[in-house]
């Protein structure tokens, strides 16, 4: 299910004493495709509070329940920017798409055990060997599944469930043993008997957050969007969860009953460009999986501002 946030406005300039009346300043439109992920609450805050508009941007945000649907939206050509991990950027770059990649506020992806597994899990990752894990294929989710398997010396049975709500439901009904999910779903699952085992924001774990931009979006527009977004991050971090609670609930980023638990220790990050080392790591993983055939030079695709 998708919900559209349309922030469309024109600035009306009234010139006192001028008989011709009024003129207008056009805003630069940015159509954004994003997941229903609380990590992007600062974007929503900036849009609802008129921060983008004040900077000359007309930002329209469309929310998706799965990376598959978001990617389909991007492929339709109607979006100028999408919130997507670097694996998506590597795939688009390999296919020859004209895109720029910038950083994004870092999101947390969490490995959660089903209620059944939680009954016996004692913290030993070796006991997870051979268990089924719900994921979305060829995304940051699968990257982290492979990362954990290699780090812990175990194997997982991968089960492709693109829809995040469906993946969460399969976990809670014990149809799968494990799932990697973005908030609010891990917190909701824990409240219903699941157990949090690992999260991508742990120290030393590669941050794959990114924003994909159409290549024809001018860099001044990108700079303005990122500057305003980072300002919004600072505001909501300073003012606390109440500053964005109404917006996050209204647009389905989080259910009201779980809001306090999810945001209690939530600290948003600035958008920072990925490093060359991170880009090389992602491309190597995607190449090994057969996702991509061609490598794209870091300086060619990553816009650092």
């Amino acid at each position: 299910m998708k919900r559209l946030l349309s922030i469309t406005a024109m600035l009306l300039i009234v010139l006192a004493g001028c008989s011709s009346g009024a003129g207008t300043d056009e805003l630069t439109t940015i159509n954004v495709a994003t997941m229903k992920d609380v990590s992007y609450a600062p974007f929503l805050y900036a849009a609802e509070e008129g921060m983008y508009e004040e900077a000359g941007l007309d930002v329209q945000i469309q929310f998706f329940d799965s990376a598959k649907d978001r990617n389909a939206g991007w492929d339709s050509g109607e979006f100028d920017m999408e919130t997507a991990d670097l694996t998506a950027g590597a795939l688009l770059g390999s296919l020859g798409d004209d895109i720029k990649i910038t950083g994004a506020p870092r999101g947390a992806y969490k490995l959660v055990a089903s209620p059944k597994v939680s009954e016996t899990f004692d913290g030993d990752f070796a006991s997870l060997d051979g268990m089924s894990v719900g994921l979305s294929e060829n995304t940051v989710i699968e990257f982290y599944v492979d990362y954990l398997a290699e780090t812990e010396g175990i194997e997982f049975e991968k089960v492709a469930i693109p829809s995040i709500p469906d993946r969460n439901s399969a976990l809670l009904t014990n149809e799968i043993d494990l799932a990697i999910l973005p908030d609010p779903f891990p917190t909701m699952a824990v409240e219903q008997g699941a157990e949090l085992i690992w999260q991508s924001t742990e120290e030393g774990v590669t941050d794959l957050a990114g924003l994909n931009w159409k290549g024809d979006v001018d860099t001044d527009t990108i700079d303005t969007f990122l500057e305003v977004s980072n300002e919004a991050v600072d505001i909501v971090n300073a003012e606390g969860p109440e500053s964005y609670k109404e917006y996050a609930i209204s647009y389905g980023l989080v259910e009201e009953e779980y809001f306090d638990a999810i945001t209690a220790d939530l600290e948003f990050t600035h958008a920072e460009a990925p490093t060359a080392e991170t880009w090389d790591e992602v491309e190597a993983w995607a190449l090994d999986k057969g996702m991509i055939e061609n490598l794209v030079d870091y300086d060619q695709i990553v816009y650092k501002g």
Side-chain angles (χ1 to χ4, degrees):
M1 181 177 181
K2 300 176 284 186
R3 182 168 182 178
L4 179 66
L5 163 64
S6 181
I7 309 299
T8 55
M10 300 297 291
L11 300 180
L12 183 63
I13 304 175
V14 180
L15 302 178
C18 180
S19 59
S20 61
T24 58
D25 287 341
E26 288 191 14
L27 304 178
T28 299
T29 299
I30 303 177
N31 295 306
V32 179
T34 187
M35 301 292 291
K36 285 184 179 178
D37 185 335
V38 73
S39 301
Y40 303 120
F43 293 169
L44 188 53
Y45 177 90
E48 286 283 1
E49 294 292 323
M51 295 175 64
Y52 291 128
E53 182 183 328
E54 290 177 6
L57 302 180
D58 164 18
V59 176
Q60 300 185 33
I61 306 175
Q62 189 160 322
F63 296 97
F64 294 84
D65 285 322
S66 74
K68 182 179 179 180
D69 289 342
R70 180 208 57 204
N71 292 345
W74 174 263
D75 291 341
S76 73
E78 77 178 276
F79 295 100
D80 306 295
M81 185 268 276
E82 67 169 349
T83 63
D85 58 86
L86 298 184
T87 63
L91 178 59
L92 293 174
S94 175
L95 292 173
D97 286 26
D98 182 18
I99 64 168
K100 304 181 185 78
I101 296 175
T102 64
R106 185 177 191 184
Y109 296 92
K110 300 178 180 181
L111 179 67
V112 187
S114 69
K116 182 178 179 180
V117 172
S118 300
E119 292 176 0
T120 58
F121 181 67
D122 61 0
D124 181 9
F125 267 84
S127 67
L128 304 179
D129 189 34
M131 288 191 177
S132 59
V133 56
L135 49 74
S136 53
E137 294 178 302
N138 299 334
T139 68
V140 61
I141 301 292
E142 188 170 11
F143 179 95
Y144 284 135
V145 168
D146 290 346
Y147 168 87
L148 279 169
E150 180 178 356
T151 302
E152 301 296 334
I154 59 178
E155 294 184 2
F156 293 111
E157 176 193 348
K158 297 178 180 179
V159 180
I161 308 177
S163 168
I164 296 173
D166 289 348
R167 199 182 316 151
N168 185 61
S169 177
L171 178 80
L172 292 175
T173 55
N174 299 304
E175 296 174 49
I176 53 176
D177 300 312
L178 309 159
I180 291 189
L181 301 159
D183 265 328
F185 292 93
T187 301
M188 293 163 56
V190 169
E191 292 286 331
Q192 298 176 69
E195 181 176 351
L196 175 63
I197 293 179
W198 173 91
Q199 56 187 14
S200 64
T201 50
E202 292 181 4
E203 186 175 353
V205 179
T206 304
D207 177 14
L208 302 190
L211 304 177
N212 295 332
W213 297 82
K214 282 187 178 177
D216 59 1
V217 178
D218 69 87
T219 55
D220 286 344
T221 297
I222 295 175
D223 289 340
T224 300
F225 180 88
L226 294 177
E227 181 180 350
V228 173
S229 299
N230 287 340
E231 182 182 349
V233 164
D234 291 338
I235 291 173
V236 297
N237 281 340
E239 296 186 357
E242 287 298 320
S243 63
Y244 59 88
K245 180 176 182 178
E246 178 183 351
Y247 305 141
I249 293 171
S250 175
Y251 286 95
L253 304 191
V254 59
E255 293 183 21
E256 185 169 9
E257 64 180 300
Y258 299 110
F259 182 84
D260 291 342
I262 290 168
T263 62
D265 300 313
L266 184 59
E267 189 81 6
F268 297 101
T269 63
H270 279 195
E272 296 182 357
T275 65
E277 292 76 16
T278 296
W279 178 248
D280 290 344
E281 182 180 357
V282 169
E283 282 204 308
W285 174 80
L287 187 66
D288 183 63
K289 280 183 57 61
M291 280 176 55
I292 64 174
E293 296 181 357
N294 306 303
L295 300 179
V296 181
D297 183 72
Y298 171 81
D299 291 324
Q300 176 184 335
I301 199 168
V302 175
Y303 175 67
K304 298 181 286 292

